[in-house]
Amino acid sequence: MYKSSKIDITNLLNPNKFIPIYLERKNMNFSLLPPVAVEFHLTATCNYNCYHCSYGLRNKKRIFLPESVIELLIENLINMKIKCVYFSGGGEPTTLKNWSKYMNRLLNSNIDISLITNAALIKDEHLSLIRRINYIAISIYSTHEDIYKKITGGNNFATYFSLPKKIKAEPHRCIVGARCVINKFNYQDILNLYLRAIEVGYDYIIFIPAIDYEKRGVVLTKDQIEFLKNMVETNVDKIDNKNTNLFNLYKKNFSYYKVDKSYKMGCQAVLLRTNTFINYDGGVWLCQPLIGQEEYCIGNLYNNSFSEIWNSDRHLQVIDKLSERFKRGECYDCRSIAFNESVFRFEDSLNEPFIIVRDYFI
């Protein structure tokens, strides 16, 4: 059976999807738990040079994990029976040799896949594979080719508006989504880009305010945020909450996840071993914003296999550090913040109705 194209983004983005995982794991022996979702940042190479890229400095290294290391990693993950893998950032995942082979192996082992990509290197011969994965999130930038080129330096503008219908031309299970990082070049084009994306067949489009992991000054200014808020206010009748997150961003003042208070409980995502990130340098991390900070690295695949690193003494030490960091309210730009707050709301409302969504892509 194939998924309907009538996707409700409020379910895809609902942090309550963490609740079933929390309930399943909270009373288990943590030391026996594999990760739920693993995010691959296997290459620092990218075919674009995006102005806003949160991995811009890393991309200059243009290194990647060798095939032997990736093959052993995948074997470990299959044996550990993880639920899903993101092929994602660090660089553009489709620049990695054999990326499609790795996906096929995971899919054939009943591990769900998502691909986050700029799609410039996706060819017709890849479409049958794309139709098998859970979702593809394609980066799009503007309805204007000159703005697209300013942001990316690329030459594949037309691809973004033709690919959804190509994927959907045959039976598929893939949700075809779009992602757009809002920056100083495209912020005035956001409404038009939303309308165009839905028109050409994207199931949804998520907008992400530029994140400044590398402190390069790419975040939106107060004036740009005010423009975006006014755009939402004056176009309520044109925006559908089921296929974009613009209303949600409006409520958050077009900002990102941030803890603004301390907590008694530590980070549940870290404690319950739900996520991990594999970096192109072999490093294994538990939090995306902290990739590159060695004190939070739990091991390196050049030195030990993933199964040796996971639940090692070093892993346990980093869990303690991260959990205390979360308690102090020092976490930022991390999706696990929303998962934690969902858990805390759930625990405070056990006798009240609570919407729960099951989705292992956390």
Side-chain angles (χ1 to χ4, degrees):
M1 180 171 293
Y2 300 103
K3 292 183 179 178
S4 166
S5 61
K6 300 297 183 182
I7 304 301
D8 187 343
I9 198 174
T10 56
N11 289 332
L12 291 176
L13 298 182
N14 193 332
N16 291 351
K17 65 185 179 180
F18 190 80
I19 299 299
I21 297 168
Y22 167 72
L23 292 174
E24 179 183 309
R25 293 188 160 216
K26 69 174 185 174
N27 294 320
M28 296 178 71
N29 183 339
F30 294 166
S31 65
L32 300 178
L33 294 175
V36 173
V38 178
E39 190 159 329
F40 281 179
H41 298 185
L42 302 182
T43 178
T45 300
C46 189
N47 50 327
Y48 280 177
N49 184 26
C50 292
Y51 157 78
H52 58 260
C53 182
S54 55
Y55 303 108
L57 298 179
R58 303 178 204 176
N59 292 162
K60 293 178 181 178
K61 298 178 181 179
R62 303 186 73 82
I63 60 175
F64 52 87
L65 278 179
E67 184 170 8
S68 59
V69 175
I70 296 172
E71 290 281 4
L72 179 57
L73 167 64
I74 289 175
E75 181 181 339
N76 282 180
L77 298 180
I78 291 170
N79 291 336
M80 295 171 82
K81 300 185 184 306
I82 67 160
K83 298 295 185 181
C84 55
V85 170
Y86 293 85
F87 281 73
S88 184
E92 164 54 39
T94 62
T95 63
L96 187 70
K97 183 181 178 182
N98 295 324
W99 66 271
S100 58
K101 182 182 81 169
Y102 303 139
M103 275 194 185
N104 264 309
R105 185 175 176 198
L106 290 162
L107 285 167
N108 292 338
S109 299
N110 296 316
I111 294 174
D112 289 331
I113 298 295
S114 71
L115 173 62
I116 300 169
T117 176
N118 63 37
L121 299 177
I122 291 181
K123 309 298 181 186
D124 287 349
E125 62 261 31
H126 298 131
L127 294 180
S128 60
L129 171 62
I130 300 301
R131 294 181 184 117
R132 294 178 62 205
I133 69 177
N134 286 61
Y135 74 82
I136 183 171
I138 299 168
S139 296
I140 64 177
Y141 306 89
S142 176
T143 60
H144 302 287
E145 188 168 6
D146 60 332
I147 294 177
Y148 153 81
K149 288 183 175 180
K150 280 183 182 178
I151 295 171
T152 69
N155 290 294
N156 297 88
F157 179 70
T159 299
Y160 310 103
F161 302 113
S162 62
L163 193 53
K165 289 181 180 178
K166 281 188 175 184
I167 295 171
K168 296 179 177 184
E170 296 184 19
H172 64 95
R173 70 186 296 256
C174 182
I175 297 171
V176 183
R179 291 158 54 95
C180 174
V181 176
I182 309 175
N183 58 57
K184 71 175 185 180
F185 294 113
N186 65 5
Y187 75 96
Q188 294 181 331
D189 192 34
I190 294 307
L191 178 64
N192 289 334
L193 186 58
Y194 159 66
L195 296 172
R196 181 76 185 280
I198 301 305
E199 177 189 357
V200 301
Y202 284 101
D203 294 317
Y204 67 85
I205 177 169
I206 292 173
F207 292 95
I208 305 166
I211 302 171
D212 205 4
Y213 289 139
E214 297 175 339
K215 310 301 180 188
R216 294 184 293 118
V218 299
V219 295
L220 296 170
T221 66
K222 290 183 179 178
D223 287 345
Q224 290 163 356
I225 289 172
E226 285 304 311
F227 176 93
L228 289 163
K229 290 173 66 177
N230 182 66
M231 178 272 292
V232 173
E233 289 170 356
T234 55
N235 290 281
V236 170
D237 59 327
K238 297 179 182 178
I239 300 170
D240 187 344
N241 197 47
K242 291 184 178 181
N243 58 29
T244 189
N245 63 333
L246 282 171
F247 288 129
N248 189 38
L249 283 178
Y250 175 85
K251 292 176 184 177
K252 294 194 297 185
N253 203 37
F254 284 84
S255 64
Y256 206 59
Y257 306 115
K258 188 178 187 303
V259 169
D260 55 7
K261 56 185 176 182
S262 59
Y263 291 102
K264 292 181 180 179
M265 295 176 69
C267 176
Q268 298 303 296
V270 168
L271 291 168
L272 298 179
R273 279 60 164 180
T274 58
N275 299 79
T276 190
F277 302 84
I278 310 297
N279 205 33
Y280 55 79
D281 60 2
V284 181
W285 311 82
L286 304 180
C287 294
Q288 184 170 355
L290 301 177
I291 292 175
Q293 296 188 35
E294 287 300 321
E295 66 177 303
Y296 298 109
C297 182
I298 68 170
N300 194 289
L301 297 177
Y302 282 107
N303 302 323
N304 299 97
S305 69
F306 183 81
S307 59
E308 292 170 333
I309 292 169
W310 197 251
N311 282 322
S312 64
D313 289 345
R314 173 66 180 171
H315 185 181
L316 302 183
Q317 292 167 9
V318 174
I319 284 175
D320 289 342
K321 280 188 179 182
L322 290 172
S323 203
E324 290 303 313
R325 178 188 174 98
F326 179 79
K327 287 180 182 178
R328 294 193 299 268
E330 296 176 2
C331 294
Y332 62 94
D333 292 348
C334 178
R335 59 184 181 257
S336 292
I337 294 171
F339 297 147
N340 278 296
E341 292 182 341
S342 181
V343 166
F344 303 151
R345 288 195 303 272
F346 175 77
E347 290 290 357
D348 287 341
S349 59
L350 288 178
N351 296 319
E352 301 174 16
F354 200 88
I355 297 173
I356 295 179
V357 178
R358 182 172 286 279
D359 180 359
Y360 286 115
F361 285 101
I362 54 174

